[in-house]
Every structure is written in structure tokens, then in C-alpha cells.
Amino acid sequence: MTSIIVHYQEIALKGRNRPYFISKLVRNVRKQTADLGVKDVRALMGRIEVVLGPDADYGQVTDRLRHVFGIANFSKAGRTRVDLDVLGDAILADLEGHPPVTFRVSAKRGDKTFPMTSPEIERALGERIYETLHWPVKLDRPELAVHVELLAREAFYSFGKEKGAGGMPTGVSGRVACLMSGGIDSPVAAYRLMRRGCSVVPVHFHSYPFVTRASQEKVREIAALLSRYQMRTNLRLVPFGELQRQIVLSVAAPMRVVIYRRFMLRIAERIARDSRAKALVTGEVIGQVASQTLENMTVIAEATRMPILRPLVGMDKDEIVAEAIRLGTYDISIIPDQDCCQLFTPRSPETHARFWQVAEAEAKLPVEDMVKAAVEGTVTEEFRFPATGAAAADD
Ligand code: ATP
Ligand code: MG
């Protein structure tokens, strides 16, 4: 068996964008496996075939496929002529030495001109396997599911299926900028948007040299981890400490977090526009911490005209934590650091900020100059996966 058959999320890919989505998915699979000896990635009728070269390792290739959004499921497969005898021979040859199990055959016809219906194909091949191996047929939850797919020019067979990452191919939904702290929530928020086909530009605000570089190290690790999905990430590191120092000089302690957040949005908006991102993403959750009351979120959001996406807004903390653990970001996020928002802030911040308070506080600040200085001081670091791969998904 020298192929992998990839099925995509049919429903997500319906409509006029379908050919574009499929070609993007094919390109993404190609790039993800560029360094693994894959001979070809071909779009066939309704599925994609990954043709393994002699040096390709199935386990390595499937590990990459697990990180490609838009894939519903995949399986190792063999290819034959469109001839049931030849197909049956190949299946039996591959099952040689396999311990006896209950089985069933599931057939799909990509090409409806084949003279037998799918149930007829299933019955014919099922009988052939039964007569040769004497394994019991079990239609409901068999131990081995033999899948066959008959297309116009070739037939495929495979045993079992593995679930893919789901979602939509990276890049088809445009670019967004995600405000990424070193915390638990924002990496999960970034992942959620990636899974919907967005390329994510992480924007991190740090207060170095007022605090350690720990938070930057954490977001670097998170950026590297998320790059396994989107293949290229341009992390933006924004110096925020000097701006905070200025805020501290004129803004009363309880209002500081709200003002910090408004500056973050203004700066992120500039960075987003520069990188052609169309929306901002945060890891905000209603009521999770003092700064995330509905009142504060409203007053904070007013600082930008760009849409703010909050994919986690209605989730419970334990649900977010479970997803962070599954993603592998959790262990990075819980490493202690000094978050920039804890700098110069009191234990009990304002929970019901009002517009007039914000306007009054910001009237004393050279807002535009502060934003400009932070944008100008921003450093970009590029992460690529696979390291030896050619171009990236959002080219
Ligand atoms: P997280 O776990 O993502 O840090 P949180 O529950 O700690 O979220 P807050 O600290 O109130 O919540 O932050 C709310 C959101 O503001 C974050 O999810 C993130 O999108 C953004 N944010 C906060 N601090 C930073 C930062 N230093 N750099 C970039 N974005 C930040
Ligand atoms: Mg945080």
C-alpha cells in the first residue's frame, strides 16, 4: 500500500469556493510533507491521494496530516485498476497473515458509470474475502472496515480510517491578528481561528526590560507549536513597558488595565493593517477576570474600529484548559512569567469602566505618539514548519 487517501470536510467545502479550497488543501498537504519523500499529492474525484515514495515513512507522513486543517479523515490505501477481481486480489494479498477478525466492506463510487451499485460491490468483495479467509461478516461495528472507492480510472482500498483535524484549509479565510499573551486562553483562541481557515499573526506585548523576557520565550514556543498547523508564523513582539510607564504617571491605578488594553488594541490594529489582517482576535471570556466584564470589554473595544473576534467568549475555563492540553500549549502557558498587565497595576482594578473615565484619562496622554513609538519598536520573528519546507501556506 503506497498511498494515503485523504477525505475532506465535504460540507465546509460546498459552494462556489470549492475548487479554490481543494487546490489550497492540496498545496497545504504538499508543503506539510515536502521533506518526507512524498512522490505526489493529487486531487482526485472528491478526495486527495498522497502518493508515498520509496523512502516515505507512513507514520511521519500521517503525523503531518493530523495538523492539516480541512481534512475529515485519512487512511493508508492501495491503488489498483478499476476491476473487482484485481481489487479483490490486492485486498487479499494485503490481508495475508492478518489474524481473523469480524469485517465488512464499504464501497463508494466516485464514478457512477461503473456497472454495479455500491451495495453490489460490497457484497461481491465481502463474499470473496469470506470464501478465502472465512472471517465472519459483521455489518455493525466490525473489527476491520475494508473501504473501497471506485473512481473513473483507478480504484482504492483501505483498512480503517483516522480522523483528521477538521476545519477549513489554512489560508482560505484570510488573515487575522491575535493578541497573544503567554496565558492559557489566547493560544487556544488563535488555534480556533486557524481551524476556520485563517492565517494568524500573533501579536505579543511585553514589558522587557521592566520585567524578564519570560513571556517572550513562552510566546515563541507557542508560535513554533502553532506553526505546525499554519506552516509559517510571523510573530510580532511589541515593546510595551515604556508606554505603561507613561500611563502610570497620569492614570489612576484602578483604570490602568483598561487603558493598557485600549492601547493594545490600537497598536494591534496598526500592525494588523500593515500585515493585511482583517480582524483582531483575543482570548477574552465573559466574566473570567476583572477586566473582562461586559462593561470593560465594551469600553476597551471602543478603541478600535477593526472587528474583534473572541472565539472563547462563552466557554468555561475547564473547557479551555482541556483544549490547551490537547493542543500542547497548556504546559507552556503555565510556566510562570511576569505578564505586562500585572506591571504597575493594583489588585483590585476597575470592573465597570465608563467612557467618560477613559476619555478623561486618555486626554492627558499623547496617544498617537505612544502608539507610533510602540509600532516602530515592534520586532518580527518568523517561524517555519517544516523547517526545510519550501514556501508557506499563506503565500
Ligand atoms: P490569556 O490566558 O490569553 O492571557 P486571560 O484570561 O489571562 O487571557 P487577560 O489577561 O484579561 O485574560 O487578557 C485578555 C486578552 O487580552 C488575552 O486573551 C489576550 O488576547 C489579550 N492580552 C492580554 N495580555 C496580553 C499581552 N501581553 N500581549 C498580547 N495580548 C494580550
Ligand atoms: Mg493573561
Side-chain angles (χ1 to χ4, degrees), residues 101-105 135-145:
V101 281
T102 59
F103 81 100
R104 77 160 289 171
V105 178
W135 291 357
V137 173
K138 189 164 179 282
L139 298 185
D140 186 33
R141 274 180 272 171
E143 289 162 304
L144 180 77

Side-chain angles (χ1 to χ4, degrees), residues 99-113:
V101 281
T102 59
F103 81 100
R104 77 160 289 171
V105 178
S106 306
K108 268 197 203 139
R109 291 181 309 162
D111 175 37
K112 304 289 180 201
T113 59

Side-chain angles (χ1 to χ4, degrees), residues 149-210:
E149 303 182 30
L150 276 67
L151 311 185
R153 288 201 197 91
E154 54 233 315
F156 293 94
Y157 62 95
S158 57
F159 310 122
K161 270 183 192 171
E162 186 179 336
K163 219 164 134 47
M168 307 223 286
T170 293
V172 298
S173 304
R175 197 170 295 156
V176 294
C178 179
L179 283 80
M180 184 152 332
S181 68
I184 295 168
D185 304 331
S186 35
V188 176
Y191 171 82
R192 284 284 173 113
L193 267 292
M194 275 185 191
R195 193 160 181 264
R196 296 309 302 161
C198 292
S199 299
V200 175
V201 180
V203 181
H204 176 65
F205 298 86
H206 66 85
S207 311
Y208 180 81
F210 299 91

Side-chain angles (χ1 to χ4, degrees), residues 234-307:
N234 280 318
L235 169 65
R236 314 286 175 145
L237 298 165
V238 187
F240 205 58
E242 181 53 36
L243 179 150
Q244 287 179 291
R245 212 180 52 80
Q246 273 176 275
I247 291 173
V248 168
L249 293 177
S250 69
V251 177
M255 282 298 289
R256 284 176 197 161
V257 171
V258 170
I259 303 291
Y260 292 165
R261 284 293 148 76
R262 285 171 56 89
F263 272 93
M264 282 187 188
L265 288 182
R266 290 188 180 103
I267 295 161
E269 176 181 334
R270 286 301 156 89
I271 292 172
R273 290 196 195 289
D274 286 349
S275 42
R276 288 176 289 121
K278 298 184 190 76
L280 303 177
V281 180
T282 74
E284 288 169 301
V285 180
I286 286 273
Q288 198 190 75
V289 290
S291 60
Q292 295 177 16
T293 61
L294 214 42
E295 287 86 348
N296 281 3
M297 277 166 65
T298 306
V299 170
I300 291 167
E302 195 264 347
T304 177
R305 287 175 60 190
M306 209 172 240

Side-chain angles (χ1 to χ4, degrees), residues 49 92 114 146 229 232 293 322 335 355 359 375 388:
E49 183 193 11
L92 286 168
F114 190 77
V146 179
Y229 296 93
R232 186 167 76 181
T293 61
I335 297 170
F355 282 107
V375 171
T388 50

Side-chain angles (χ1 to χ4, degrees), residues 81-129:
R81 280 194 285 130
V82 192
D83 176 322
L84 286 198
D85 288 333
V86 178
L87 187 56
D89 289 345
I91 293 171
L92 286 168
D94 270 317
L95 288 179
E96 211 184 288
H98 195 295
V101 281
T102 59
F103 81 100
R104 77 160 289 171
V105 178
S106 306
K108 268 197 203 139
R109 291 181 309 162
D111 175 37
K112 304 289 180 201
T113 59
F114 190 77
M116 289 162 81
T117 64
S118 296
E120 285 167 353
I121 298 167
E122 289 171 359
R123 224 169 298 131
L125 287 171
E127 270 169 26
R128 172 105 198 261
I129 295 171

